[in-house]
Amino acid sequence: MINRRSVVALGIGSVATAISHRAFAGGDDLLDTAYINAKVWTGAGPNVRTDAIGVKGDRIAAIGADAVRARTGKRTRIVDLQGAFVTPGFIDPHVHFVKASIMMSQASLRDAANPKEFVERVAAAAKALPKGQWLEGGNWDQDRWGGEMPHRKWIDAVTPDTPVAVIRYDLHMLLLNSLALKLVGIDRNSVAPPGGVIERDADGEPTGIVKDASKDMVLRAIGQKTDAQIDAAARNGIALALSKGVTQVHPTEKELVSFDCTRRLHARGEIGIRFRHYLPLQDWEAQAALIAREGRGDDWVHWGGCKVAFDGSLGSRTAKFYEPYHDDPTTRGIIVTDPVDLRRWIAGADKAGLQVTTHAIGDEANDIVLDTLAAVAAANGPRDRRFRVEHVQHMKPHAIPRFKAQNVIASVQPYHAIDDGRWAVRRIGEKRLETSFAFGSLVRSGAHVCMGSDWPVAPMDPFTGLDAAVNRETLDDKHPDGWHPEQRVTLAQALRCYTREGAYAAFHDGKTGVIAPGHLADFAVMDQDLFAIDSHLLKRTTVLRTVVGGVQRFG
């Protein structure tokens, strides 16, 4: 039990102290719900614990058994957690929410172990669809069978009447069959748009693989789902998030589908978790106008941020590097957004008071983005802008301290390290990997680092992310002592990145990310104390309850 003196010493604050010793005369001061007999990691510091949480309305009103007991009345609902472990609700600062929610019901190719199994799964999925309906989904991974890229000829015979557009798990390339290529209008004479790639065979014919900006041609041909289909899928995504203790997500999109969907759900009272939206940077003026008309939303659905992609991905060999790829020396990757446009758009959005986040994966891409952010900050003058960079996967050593120096948030996804770590050495060699996925170096530098999933590229499951951050054991089990173990972080550091830093990254600090009086009552209850178990058991954790806004929404 934490008494008044220890609360102050642990830094939870004088507000908690005052609450724990106030005499409450009226019923208006009584708690709605008291969660007692708990092991609570508050997030206020690496070792700050308490044993009870009192909720009134949508806020935490008291913490600690004494403070909670003082405000418990006859109408207070008592929830005995029987020693269960509690943390602030997890915040996932990088998801493709509607896309991933829709993919939950689409064909899955992620664990296809060889080309034969890949084709069999495509055939089965096509057979289950009405003739002419697009076969989407996928999440395939050619590195599971040695790296050979799939080809339209693999699947043409089993999909004669079904257009196929299945995506690689990194979301940066699609495989199309011949029917899909015809419907999209891609042939040997087609020219890829800027920032895009259409792969061709030795005869100059499209292989069926299109990358990055070229995917937009395909998506236009497929068309959009109906609002009803999108909303139904999103409800499933919300249910999944709650089952994993996730109480807030940040869709970082290049379109408005997630934004429009969550606004509809919120209007109907069906939202369940909190959303912080990042809308397309090139449309920053439209968002500034929206804010002038409607403000920035509320604690459930809010906006005011912009997202842009600068390069591609490592798996697709489109991440932008200084040196060529080892397994394809003809390329150093691609730039998806012209640097002139990047500078102009960021400058305009920042001057309008919008937050900006930029996708950057390759080492050259990260340098160009950091240079651009520094130039814009200098030109527009000091303010609390909280620039973000998404992924921050591969850097030259000099780039690491720049995040702290420039006060730029590194938004990283630990699962990518243990996934890409299976094959990354084939792409760029061992030397460049020494400062890849440099979570430990970034955290120790004092930079703000938030951690998430990039769902559906990786599971929306904080426990697999915590395991990846703490242990760094690759998915192929070939690095039992950790892949580049010097980049591991402690459990307390990782939890902070999944909670408090996620709130900071969305300008939600002071509201979420910490269990403290006055904060929104967002927390997760789980079946094991994460600090009391072997770290290899982290991913076996089960969420028992998830509370968002003072309401138990799972469990």
Side-chain angles (χ1 to χ4, degrees):
M1 182 183 299
I2 298 180
N3 59 31
R4 177 170 65 93
R5 189 169 299 170
S6 63
V7 167
V8 175
L10 290 170
I12 295 175
S14 59
V15 173
T17 305
I19 287 174
S20 66
H21 288 269
R22 187 186 303 163
F24 296 100
D28 288 346
D29 289 321
L30 297 177
L31 300 170
D32 295 326
T33 308
Y35 294 89
I36 64 170
N37 191 19
K39 298 176 181 176
V40 182
W41 182 80
T42 69
N47 302 304
V48 180
R49 300 284 196 112
T50 190
D51 53 6
I53 303 171
V55 174
K56 186 170 182 60
D58 64 351
R59 302 274 168 170
I60 295 169
I63 60 172
D66 291 344
V68 169
R69 189 179 303 113
R71 297 189 62 175
T72 298
K74 291 182 179 180
R75 294 192 304 275
T76 302
R77 183 170 69 100
I78 309 296
V79 180
D80 187 345
L81 294 181
Q82 299 180 344
F85 184 67
V86 182
T87 69
F90 294 113
I91 297 171
D92 194 329
H94 190 118
V95 296
H96 303 276
F97 196 80
V98 164
K99 185 191 302 291
S101 297
I102 290 172
M103 290 179 71
M104 291 172 68
S105 62
Q106 292 178 333
S108 176
L109 307 171
R110 182 64 177 265
D111 57 350
N114 52 60
K116 180 175 181 292
E117 185 176 349
F118 176 92
V119 173
E120 288 173 348
R121 292 198 185 189
V122 169
K127 187 176 181 180
L129 292 175
K131 182 178 178 179
Q133 182 173 321
W134 283 83
L135 193 166
E136 299 178 81
N139 267 10
W140 49 270
D141 176 9
Q142 82 278 12
D143 288 292
R144 287 187 177 272
W145 58 73
E148 181 185 2
M149 292 295 295
H151 194 287
R152 60 182 168 81
K153 293 180 180 178
W154 290 14
I155 58 175
D156 278 349
V158 298
T159 58
D161 303 312
T162 302
V164 176
V166 286
I167 200 160
R168 187 180 187 270
Y169 76 94
D170 64 355
L171 305 184
H172 283 265
M173 68 169 88
L174 288 165
L175 171 68
L176 279 61
N177 65 353
S178 293
L179 176 57
L181 287 169
K182 181 179 179 181
L183 292 174
V184 175
I186 295 176
D187 58 27
R188 65 179 297 119
N189 298 313
S190 297
V191 177
V197 174
I198 298 172
E199 283 204 348
R200 306 177 191 279
D201 60 23
D203 297 323
E205 295 291 342
T207 66
I209 294 292
V210 296
K211 301 180 182 181
D212 290 298
S214 297
K215 297 192 289 84
D216 295 340
M217 304 163 63
V218 182
L219 299 178
R220 284 194 296 270
I222 294 173
Q224 186 59 268
K225 302 287 188 295
T226 66
D227 288 353
Q229 291 171 322
I230 290 169
D231 294 354
R235 290 187 199 99
N236 292 333
I238 289 169
L240 174 63
L242 290 168
S243 75
K244 298 298 183 180
V246 175
T247 57
Q248 181 182 152
V249 297
H250 303 172
T252 51
E253 307 289 12
K254 294 189 291 181
E255 22 71 2
L256 301 177
V257 177
S258 289
F259 178 67
D260 292 339
C261 166
T262 55
R263 297 233 290 174
R264 288 193 300 269
L265 293 177
H266 188 20
R268 296 198 294 263
E270 300 174 355
I271 198 69
I273 62 174
R274 306 185 192 281
F275 289 83
R276 160 71 170 181
H277 285 285
Y278 291 81
L279 307 182
L281 176 63
Q282 65 267 33
D283 300 327
W284 68 266
E285 290 172 299
Q287 185 173 182
L290 172 68
I291 290 170
R293 293 193 310 270
E294 301 183 26
R296 295 174 182 255
D298 59 19
D299 291 333
W300 288 101
V301 178
H302 59 121
W303 54 90
C306 301
K307 157 76 180 299
V308 64
F310 184 64
D311 67 342
S313 75
L314 183 70
S316 300
R317 299 182 187 84
T318 52
K320 186 65 173 173
F321 285 93
Y322 286 109
E323 295 89 24
Y325 282 82
H326 283 209
D327 53 358
D328 185 358
T330 67
T331 184
R332 296 190 294 114
I334 64 174
I335 289 174
V336 175
T337 301
D338 185 287
V340 174
D341 288 335
L342 184 78
R343 168 73 181 268
R344 177 167 56 88
W345 292 340
I346 293 178
D350 180 67
K351 196 167 187 177
L354 300 173
Q355 185 189 23
V356 176
T357 188
T358 306
H359 163 122
I361 288 184
D363 53 18
E364 185 176 8
N366 273 285
D367 277 353
I368 292 172
V369 166
L370 287 169
D371 288 346
T372 303
L373 298 180
V376 168
N380 287 349
R383 77 175 183 89
D384 186 10
R385 49 179 41 93
R386 303 192 193 183
F387 281 146
R388 292 171 46 163
V389 178
E390 304 298 319
H391 307 307
V392 197
Q393 288 185 4
H394 309 283
M395 291 180 287
K396 293 292 187 182
H398 66 254
I400 294 172
R402 293 188 66 181
F403 284 84
K404 167 68 173 176
Q406 294 181 213
N407 197 25
V408 173
I409 299 164
S411 175
V412 304
Q413 300 78 39
Y415 192 89
H416 290 347
I418 64 171
D419 196 352
D420 289 14
R422 295 173 294 136
W423 45 262
V425 67
R426 297 202 299 267
R427 295 285 194 277
I428 59 174
E430 192 60 48
K431 182 64 178 176
R432 279 188 271 180
L433 291 175
E434 291 177 0
T435 47
S436 292
F437 304 96
F439 311 141
S441 294
L442 286 166
V443 169
R444 289 189 293 270
S445 76
H448 284 287
V449 180
C450 59
M451 292 182 173
S453 67
D454 200 6
W455 186 55
V457 181
M460 184 170 55
D461 180 354
F463 304 106
T464 63
L466 291 169
D467 167 72
V470 171
N471 294 315
R472 285 183 71 103
E473 296 178 7
T474 53
L475 298 180
D476 58 7
D477 297 322
K478 292 184 178 179
H479 297 87
D481 297 322
W483 183 62
H484 291 276
E486 69 278 5
Q487 296 299 345
R488 291 183 297 203
V489 298
T490 68
L491 177 59
Q493 289 169 335
L495 278 171
R496 179 186 174 96
C497 293
Y498 271 96
T499 54
R500 194 170 187 171
E501 292 288 358
Y504 176 85
F507 287 89
H508 227 229
D509 44 322
K511 290 185 175 182
T512 62
V514 177
I515 294 174
H519 282 58
L520 290 163
D522 297 358
F523 52 89
V525 182
M526 52 210 74
D527 66 342
Q528 54 183 355
D529 184 337
L530 303 186
F531 290 94
I533 59 172
D534 184 286
S535 63
H536 296 90
L537 299 176
L538 287 168
K539 55 190 173 183
R540 298 185 186 179
T541 304
T542 298
V543 172
L544 305 176
R545 305 170 187 259
T546 303
V547 175
V548 190
V551 176
Q552 183 174 312
R553 300 176 190 272
F554 172 79

